[in-house]
């Protein structure tokens, strides 16, 4: 159970770091060989491989949205008995974004994080609204 608590804490801390724009702390939770999958049909959508690609993606995210607020509603852990830091965590969240022009957008979703030796190896976002809201958010 301690492993599950640690996994939940790490994921929760990563969302808080992103909300606080603490970019280095956020990135320190990712492996160098990580993969991030972003849904939708916007230029930012798709599979992003490696820490450099992840860093560029989230830097664009922070640049596009001067204010972000993830509210994590639920964290579910696959293996409550994990003791080596290999697990899968699903985070159910609400998101409020503010664009540079002060337009506010809201969405909800789930992020599934596969953790290997305590760091994110594979992260996939699933949004409840991937069409209109995502296109508006990214200006496409």
């Amino acid at each position: 159970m301690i492993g599950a608590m640690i996994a939940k804490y790490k994921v929760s801390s990563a969302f808080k770091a992103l909300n606080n724009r603490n970019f280095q702390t956020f990135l320190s939770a990712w492996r160098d060989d990580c993969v991030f999958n972003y849904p939708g049909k916007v230029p930012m959508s798709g599979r992003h491989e490696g820490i450099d690609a992840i860093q560029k993606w989230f830097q664009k995210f922070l640049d596009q949205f001067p204010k972000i607020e993830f509210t994590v509603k639920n964290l579910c852990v696959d293996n409550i008995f994990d003791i080596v830091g290999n697990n899968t965590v699903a985070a159910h969240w609400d998101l409020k974004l503010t664009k540079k022009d002060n337009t506010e957008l809201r969405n909800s979703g789930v992020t599934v994080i596969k953790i290997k030796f305590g760091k994110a190896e594979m992260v996939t976002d699933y949004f409840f609204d991937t069409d209109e809201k995502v296109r508006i958010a990214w200006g496409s």
Side-chain angles (χ1 to χ4, degrees), residues 110-140:
V110 173
T111 300
V112 177
I113 305 124
K114 182 179 177 192
I115 300 169
K116 184 174 181 181
F117 300 122
K119 290 190 172 196
E121 176 182 46
M122 171 80 75
V123 177
T124 303
D125 277 347
Y126 300 93
F127 293 160
F128 292 112
D129 187 343
T130 59
D131 294 326
E132 186 68 20
K133 286 183 182 179
V134 174
R135 283 197 302 273
I136 290 169
W138 287 104
S140 43

Side-chain angles (χ1 to χ4, degrees), residues 1-54:
M1 283 213 185
I2 273 275
M5 291 170 53
I6 291 170
K8 285 181 174 185
Y9 174 79
K10 284 188 170 207
V11 169
S12 179
S13 294
F15 276 101
K16 286 178 187 172
L18 195 55
N19 282 346
N20 293 327
R21 306 178 81 79
N22 189 339
F23 198 44
Q24 293 308 323
T25 299
F26 175 74
L27 283 178
S28 71
W30 295 71
R31 293 174 50 86
D32 289 341
D33 60 348
C34 56
V35 175
F36 175 56
N37 297 298
Y38 188 77
K41 296 177 184 174
V42 297
M44 299 299 291
S45 298
R47 182 180 174 96
H48 308 275
E49 297 184 39
I51 194 66
D52 291 338
I54 305 300

Side-chain angles (χ1 to χ4, degrees), residues 63-112:
D63 291 346
Q64 178 73 9
F65 306 106
K67 186 175 178 187
I68 56 175
E69 184 181 335
F70 280 96
T71 302
V72 178
K73 297 170 71 174
N74 298 296
L75 290 170
C76 301
V77 177
D78 184 42
N79 181 3
I80 63 168
F81 299 110
D82 170 56
I83 57 171
V84 295
N86 295 338
N87 218 325
T88 302
V89 178
H92 177 210
W93 43 260
D94 288 331
L95 173 61
K96 183 168 90 173
L97 298 169
T98 304
K99 290 176 59 173
K100 293 179 201 176
D101 67 1
N102 286 324
T103 302
E104 279 191 5
L105 300 160
R106 294 176 185 266
N107 208 340
S108 295
V110 173
T111 300
V112 177

